[in-house]
Amino acid sequence: MSGTVTERTTVQLSSAVVRFAGDSGDGMQLTGDRFTTQTALAGNDLATLPDFPAEIRAPAGTLAGVSSFQLHFSDQDIHTPGDAPDVLVAMNPAALMKHLDALKAGGTVIVNVDSFTERNLQKAGYHGDPLHDGTLTDYRVHEVKLTQLTVRALEEQIERGELNKKEAERCKNMLALGLVSWMFHRPIDGTVEWLQQKFRSKPELAEANTTALRAGWNYGDTTEAFVFTYEVPAAKLPPGRYRNITGNQALSYGLVAASVRSGLPLFCGSYPITPASDILHELAKQKHFGVMTFQAEDEIAAIGSVIGAAFGGSLAVTTSSGPGIALKTEALGLAMMTELPLLVVNVMRGGPSTGLPTKTEQSDLLQALYGRNGEAPIPVVAASSPSDCFDVTLEAARIALTYRTPVMVLSDGYLANSAEPWNMPHTDELPDLRAVFSFTTEPNGPDGTYLPFLRDPDTLARPWAVPGTPGLEHRIGGLEKEDGTGHISYDHANHHRMTVLRHQRLARIADDLPPTEVFDPDGDADVLILGWGSTAGPIRAACHQLRQRGRKVARVHLRHLAPLPKDLPDLLQRYRVVVLPENNMGQLAMLLRARTLLDIRSYNTVTGQPFASAELVRAVEELAFSEQEVTV
Amino acid sequence: MTEAQATLSKKDFTSDREVRWCPGCGDYAILASVQTMLAEVGARPEKTVFVSGIGCSSRFPYYMNTYGFHSIHGRAPTLATGLAITRPDLDIWVVTGDGDGLSIGGNHLVHALRRNVNIHVLLFNNEIYGLTKGQYSPTSPLGSIHKSTPMGSIDRPVNPVSLALGAEATFVARSIDNDRKHLTEVLTAAYEHRGASFIEIYQNCNVFNDGAFDALRTPENKTANQIRLRRGEPITFGQQGENAVVARGDGTMKIVPTEDAGDRVVIHDPTKQEPTTAFALARLAHNPTGPTPIGVFRDVARPVYDDLLREQVEAAQQRQGQGDLQQLLESGNVWDVLG
């Protein structure tokens, strides 16, 4: 948070990072969401990082129960939720304990002193009182009696009997939001309106939360404790119509868009799993688009229903996360074998096994590419930002419908829940998916027969004749089929031919892909940072910082993981060093080393958190420039 | 189609594939009954879909000149569910076996039945794993000696009809492979039922478990042991109807000589909403080694899952109008950045 004092109390900043942290029950996610909306409406570019425990209500006051929400906003184009916060709001000692280390040196910390009781300090693992033992000397500390202030603000309502004290205390997150909104000159009218809507049926709660919100704002305005306020001017975003969007929302909208643009009804068969369930919830609300959602009895039934729906001519999708994908494996092989178009969404989370359900990771890449018995290649695409989930989903639908294949869409826990402003497309400019497929309605074989495996010579896609079409009755299944006729075949030469054809069909997809985009503004980079998936933001930010330091680095971000772009091996060869950061133990790096015989340098962490850009800067320095300096 | 459709015959439902079950397998008789029945009820091949899992019975779709899907082990009800939800115009049959439908796929069977998805499930019960060459199955009787149970099975078998009734399936029946007339009657009733129907078909595996159903299949036994369930009729059986089914005070059923039963003979009513009586009938025999009920246990009307889902879609469209994509994207807080 660097800037200049332009007035006595207002500091102009280019960007700021604010983190709200408290108990799971303190409403931190909601507070963060509201602050995000206010910030978006103020015209900033932004990125968010919600972080919450897997337990719904972990014991109050403990480190395990801390939930946080970080928001990075700027007058510039930004790509990450920010490495270190400038402002930390700690609703209790556990939140302070867990998040103080992340706070920037000299940063501001707002603590709710009311919660700093001996018992809470103990639960958080403090032996002394951090407010008075020097723990906070490097920071600008605001001790605010958030709970007491809230109760006092709501005294009238308590007296009227509309609220009890506990209900009043629960509004303290709104008081905190009001205070931080005042600090950063964020208008709160939108939140007032939102509260009225949310508590439409409980006007006393609407009033209480609104009162607390305004009390927080006024507290900042009138008390002399706050010397500085901060202003982050609106970003110069490209013209267009914007909204905030999370990855899961964008993915859901992408599915609806694919349905509208293909003219096919959308069917989603799914089983609840963190962090993918929100897609099922969102789609369940879109029934007026003809969307059908089916909450199946398990992950296998979910993909089974989707295969059935695809056979019947729907645009079918199943949504899950790693453990669920593991269960779907056999059925996914069947979908590949029967060459039906459908989408499988994996919102990756920390693995293995149950792993870290609410945290992010990229460790299901090899599962996506190879996690099936036999030679079972399927296309895999990965989203790189929350809003990119929309575009990637449409691309996945294009591939599925064009080549008649299941397609895996990779998102992750970070993209799923974090938000960014989205310059919305005009829907009539979206890809026309009607043009890429048609149902077969006429016999395609000799004597009026139908050959379900007679392929299109260009795409190698097989025809898609749906039940109900007279004369084209046919049978498909998981047994190997004879090329063309689709009859069961155990012929060894046919099996080899069919296996090769299935690989070739995947390879044909690469023929249609545009050349890989390289970001190298000066065209003289000799180091390439390669990435895929949600690392795009941190890599982009790191690349920018490295260039500012004079490092000649370029970057490439892959959307298509299977098939890989055809020009990739040649492209990688042009660089002295290729660095590949991944939130796994080097899965794509291993694959690329095998494919290109190049010494790709891997940087890997699986902390459940996205990369910080500063961390990537250090990694690239180490992996690409340290030897050079030794030899120079 | 506007013009009247030609009457079809069994041949129209028969594919050009050579049937490859073992000679003498009970599956042949079932296949012929199904093909004939579909022609007789006026089904259309293009509107008919057979979905199967894995096992001998699951080869069935290849022999039907209809749409067909030979899926993976135990999962046929899930594919059928997705198809039924999205394609109400189709007539969807699931063909499964005791291993496929009750062991690996038991979960899906229960859920498809309780949801009342509009599908027909034909479960060929031969009390053996045939395709994997003779291991005991979830319906094999206790003590069965097979390849994986050289000292006899210690695994209490499931009664498929009890299970289906426990899942509150709206149509539950039992028939026998070699009784063409009875099987056709039951298949026809299932065809006419809206919602999930379940038919257990006793099917002889003459290679690995020959004679498992002799108590009901052989001419000398069948009259003595088949308890025919006929709607509205008293449940009696035997050469002269000399045995009758009566209810005990606790609701369970027992078999007594008809002459002792008086007016206590149970009158069969498969349309009772409560499945309790049907369940008590199903408990009369756990394995078909003696008198065993055959016929339609339960046939009740209940809202169908896929109909209900479509109704919600229509209601949403009426309330909100047909979805508008641009409007969807622009829902929530939107702001314009001017160039």
Side-chain angles (χ1 to χ4, degrees):
Chain A
M1 198 160 65
S2 59
T4 51
V5 182
T6 54
E7 289 176 29
R8 197 177 125 64
T9 55
T10 301
V11 183
Q12 293 284 329
L13 299 174
S14 172
S15 70
V17 179
V18 177
R19 186 183 292 183
F20 296 93
D23 230 14
S24 305
D26 283 342
M28 292 296 95
Q29 299 303 321
L30 187 144
T31 308
D33 270 341
R34 290 316 309 164
F35 195 68
T36 302
T37 303
Q38 293 173 186
T39 295
L41 293 175
N44 294 120
D45 195 14
L46 62 87
T48 70
L49 178 62
D51 187 12
F52 42 87
E55 295 79 13
I56 303 302
R57 287 277 184 273
T62 62
L63 288 170
V66 175
S67 167
S68 71
F69 189 104
Q70 180 162 314
L71 172 68
H72 182 194
F73 53 107
S74 175
D75 63 356
Q76 310 276 323
D77 187 17
I78 52 167
H79 320 292
T80 76
D83 291 1
D86 299 297
V87 176
L88 170 67
V89 179
M91 300 297 280
N92 67 4
L96 186 69
M97 177 64 124
K98 189 160 174 184
H99 293 291
L100 186 64
D101 279 353
L103 191 61
K104 218 171 263 179
T108 299
V109 53
I110 299 172
V111 293
N112 177 17
V113 282
D114 293 332
S115 67
F116 278 63
T117 60
E118 205 161 313
R119 193 168 146 64
N120 279 346
L121 286 166
Q122 256 175 15
K123 278 200 227 172
Y126 279 116
H127 299 297
D129 177 0
L131 301 179
H132 303 107
D133 65 2
T135 305
L136 301 176
T137 43
D138 292 345
Y139 308 101
R140 189 177 293 155
V141 183
H142 295 284
E143 295 181 20
V144 184
K145 295 172 178 171
L146 281 171
T147 313
Q148 286 188 46
L149 285 170
T150 306
V151 173
R152 207 174 310 148
L154 301 177
E155 245 161 24
E156 273 185 40
Q157 273 195 278
I158 297 172
E159 273 167 32
R160 289 205 300 267
E162 291 174 12
L163 297 172
N164 60 34
K165 190 158 169 259
K166 207 162 177 188
E167 287 167 329
E169 285 179 0
R170 223 173 275 151
C171 298
K172 62 181 180 292
N173 63 330
M174 283 297 120
L175 195 122
L177 176 63
L179 176 58
V180 179
S181 300
W182 170 81
M183 274 183 84
F184 285 96
H185 297 235
R186 311 277 95 166
I188 55 172
D189 306 349
T191 299
V192 172
E193 219 170 276
W194 179 84
L195 287 168
Q196 303 305 320
Q197 275 295 315
K198 179 173 167 71
F199 296 113
R200 214 172 10 208
S201 57
K202 291 177 183 158
E204 66 284 358
L205 290 184
E207 188 189 332
N209 279 288
T210 306
T211 306
L213 179 71
R214 292 194 195 285
W217 177 284
N218 295 337
Y219 177 79
D221 205 21
T222 53
T223 176
E224 290 179 0
F226 294 88
V227 185
F228 300 108
T229 67
Y230 307 95
E231 209 161 57
V232 180
K236 286 167 207 69
L237 296 171
R241 177 158 285 190
Y242 284 79
R243 63 168 288 168
N244 271 342
I245 195 139
T246 66
N248 274 350
Q249 264 177 331
L251 207 150
S252 311
Y253 292 174
L255 290 169
V256 176
S259 163
V260 170
R261 300 297 288 172
S262 64
L264 295 176
L266 181 65
F267 174 83
C268 174
S270 185
Y271 185 75
I273 186 168
T274 302
S277 303
D278 283 338
I279 303 170
L280 172 63
H281 307 162
E282 185 61 48
L283 291 177
K285 289 189 274 184
Q286 308 307 338
K287 292 194 168 64
H288 57 303
F289 282 91
V291 175
M292 288 190 155
T293 54
F294 169 59
Q295 184 177 316
E297 61 269 24
D298 61 27
E299 294 281 0
I300 299 172
I303 188 169
S305 69
V306 161
I307 295 172
F311 182 54
S314 285
L315 179 68
V317 60
T318 185
T319 52
S320 191
S321 187
I325 300 295
L327 284 164
K328 294 180 198 295
T329 296
E330 186 193 13
L332 189 49
L334 176 70
M336 193 276 332
M337 193 68 163
T338 50
E339 304 189 24
L340 287 169
L342 55 89
L343 305 183
V344 179
V345 174
N346 181 356
V347 184
M348 295 179 288
R349 65 189 216 182
S353 187
T354 311
L356 307 170
T358 59
K359 311 296 180 198
T360 192
E361 209 164 282
Q362 296 186 297
S363 48
D364 296 344
L365 176 63
L366 292 180
Q367 180 195 40
L369 295 171
Y370 296 112
R372 288 163 293 283
N373 60 307
E375 293 282 337
I378 62 165
V380 177
V381 291
S384 59
S385 77
S387 66
D388 188 48
C389 289
F390 181 85
D391 298 321
V392 158
T393 303
L394 275 168
E395 170 65 356
R398 180 193 71 82
I399 294 172
L401 292 171
T402 309
Y403 298 90
R404 246 73 96 203
T405 172
V407 178
M408 179 87 78
V409 180
L410 296 178
S411 172
D412 62 32
Y414 165 45
L415 296 180
N417 292 314
S418 64
E420 67 175 354
W422 179 35
N423 188 350
M424 286 175 280
H426 289 288
T427 53
D428 45 12
E429 289 164 10
L430 295 173
D432 178 13
L433 299 180
R434 285 173 205 269
V436 303
F437 78 98
S438 60
F439 291 138
T440 301
T441 53
E442 298 296 332
N444 61 353
D447 309 321
T449 55
Y450 173 59
L451 303 177
F453 281 81
L454 187 68
R455 296 171 188 280
D456 179 290
D458 294 327
T459 60
L460 296 182
R462 74 174 190 89
W464 190 11
V466 298
T469 316
L472 306 192
E473 294 84 0
H474 65 284
R475 275 65 58 191
I476 56 174
L479 286 169
E480 183 61 284
K481 298 292 187 286
E482 187 178 74
D483 192 12
T485 65
H487 296 319
I488 298 173
S489 167
Y490 298 108
D491 180 84
H492 46 261
N494 176 74
H495 177 51
H496 184 75
R497 184 164 59 250
M498 290 296 271
T499 304
V500 170
L501 276 167
R502 288 188 284 262
H503 277 283
Q504 282 175 345
R505 185 178 46 134
L506 189 81
R508 293 284 169 101
I509 296 168
D511 292 349
D512 264 1
L513 299 180
T516 302
E517 257 184 286
V518 183
F519 296 89
D520 181 11
D522 304 325
D524 60 355
D526 65 347
V527 170
L528 181 75
I529 313 181
L530 181 65
W532 67 275
S534 70
T535 56
I539 289 177
R540 197 166 164 183
C543 204
H544 182 71
Q545 289 164 35
L546 283 159
R547 298 188 69 87
Q548 280 185 329
R549 294 171 162 214
R551 297 302 193 192
K552 296 182 187 313
V553 291
R555 65 183 171 84
V556 161
H557 209 75
L558 297 177
R559 166 180 277 189
H560 297 89
L561 282 324
L564 286 163
K566 289 203 294 191
D567 57 0
L568 191 65
D570 284 346
L571 196 158
L572 298 183
Q573 221 138 24
R574 282 191 237 143
Y575 294 88
R576 181 175 61 82
V577 176
V578 177
V579 178
L580 174 45
E582 292 178 86
N583 289 131
N584 59 40
M585 295 310 284
Q587 299 190 4
L588 182 63
M590 182 189 77
L591 188 71
L592 287 178
R593 279 168 161 250
R595 291 273 178 83
T596 64
L597 299 179
L598 290 171
D599 181 24
I600 311 279
R601 303 199 183 168
S602 225
Y603 177 71
N604 311 103
T605 64
V606 282
T607 60
Q609 300 293 321
F611 287 122
S613 53
E615 172 190 9
L616 291 184
V617 168
R618 279 195 304 276
V620 175
E621 286 286 358
E622 166 77 24
L623 292 168
F625 295 105
S626 60
E627 302 159 17
Q628 204 182 25
E629 267 155 24
V630 173
T631 52
V632 164
Chain B
M1 239 174 253
T2 46
E3 57 192 294
Q5 288 178 323
T7 314
L8 301 177
S9 68
K10 173 172 179 271
K11 180 169 81 24
D12 296 299
F13 286 91
T14 307
S15 83
D16 62 353
R17 297 290 92 195
E18 182 196 0
V19 185
R20 290 193 185 168
W21 287 309
C22 307
C25 177
D27 288 356
Y28 284 92
I30 304 172
L31 177 65
S33 295
V34 170
Q35 287 166 335
T36 311
M37 178 276 300
L38 286 173
E40 280 170 4
V41 296
R44 305 295 309 176
E46 73 272 15
K47 292 282 190 188
T48 307
V49 184
F50 279 83
V51 185
S52 64
I54 294 292
C56 294
S57 59
S58 289
R59 295 299 177 97
F60 201 94
Y62 291 117
Y63 310 133
M64 297 296 301
N65 183 35
T66 62
Y67 284 88
F69 207 133
H70 178 212
S71 78
I72 45 177
H73 208 10
R75 318 304 174 196
T78 71
L79 276 85
T81 296
L83 189 58
I85 290 173
T86 52
R87 292 293 305 272
D89 57 319
L90 300 176
D91 185 33
I92 301 165
W93 298 80
V94 168
V95 179
T96 184
D98 40 319
D100 188 62
L102 296 169
S103 194
I104 192 167
N107 186 34
H108 307 305
L109 180 66
V110 168
H111 289 284
L113 295 178
R114 76 160 168 89
R115 278 192 195 104
N116 204 25
V117 181
N118 198 27
I119 57 175
H120 318 290
V121 180
L122 308 182
L123 187 138
F124 299 6
N125 180 7
N126 56 12
E127 297 186 350
I128 195 80
Y129 279 89
L131 199 66
T132 50
K133 301 186 181 173
Q135 298 82 13
Y136 82 103
S137 90
T139 55
S140 301
L142 278 170
S144 317
I145 293 183
H146 294 298
K147 280 183 181 158
S148 56
T149 50
M151 294 174 70
S153 161
I154 52 171
D155 205 336
R156 182 167 169 82
V158 64
N159 176 332
V161 167
S162 294
L163 183 91
L165 289 167
E168 297 182 41
T170 53
F171 182 100
V172 180
R174 178 185 285 146
S175 191
I176 302 174
D177 54 4
N178 69 349
D179 192 332
R180 183 90 176 251
K181 181 166 172 290
H182 185 261
L183 181 57
T184 303
E185 273 171 30
V186 169
L187 287 169
T188 307
Y191 174 83
E192 283 162 1
H193 177 78
R194 268 203 60 75
S197 55
F198 174 85
I199 306 177
E200 178 192 17
I201 303 169
Y202 288 148
Q203 173 245 320
N204 191 45
C205 173
N206 57 319
V207 174
F208 294 107
N209 203 21
D210 197 23
F213 304 101
D214 276 359
L216 300 169
R217 281 176 103 241
T218 62
E220 56 274 24
N221 291 341
K222 62 192 250 188
T223 321
N225 286 333
Q226 287 188 12
I227 307 176
R228 294 296 182 109
L229 303 175
R230 297 185 190 85
R231 187 174 168 172
E233 289 184 21
I235 306 176
T236 59
F237 65 100
Q239 205 72 45
Q240 256 78 49
E242 64 274 21
N243 294 310
V245 174
V246 298
R248 294 195 186 94
D250 65 358
T252 58
M253 301 215 177
K254 63 176 176 178
I255 294 162
V256 299
T258 307
E259 56 189 24
D260 300 342
D263 59 357
R264 292 182 301 138
V265 181
V266 174
I267 309 293
H268 185 53
D269 180 8
T271 65
K272 276 188 189 166
Q273 276 297 329
E274 265 306 308
T276 317
T277 316
F279 191 80
L281 280 173
R283 305 311 295 171
L284 273 173
H286 199 73
N287 276 105
T289 49
T292 302
I294 299 295
V296 178
F297 287 71
R298 176 169 155 92
D299 185 1
V300 299
R302 201 176 72 207
V304 175
Y305 180 89
D306 23 315
D307 290 344
L308 295 172
L309 182 55
R310 274 188 297 276
E311 279 167 26
Q312 287 192 342
V313 168
E314 280 159 27
Q317 284 172 336
Q318 265 176 11
R319 203 172 52 234
Q320 294 164 270
Q322 187 71 36
D324 178 296
L325 188 56
Q326 198 74 45
Q327 223 171 52
L328 173 69
L329 302 191
E330 296 181 11
S331 56
N333 287 304
V334 163
W335 68 97
D336 289 314
V337 173
L338 303 173

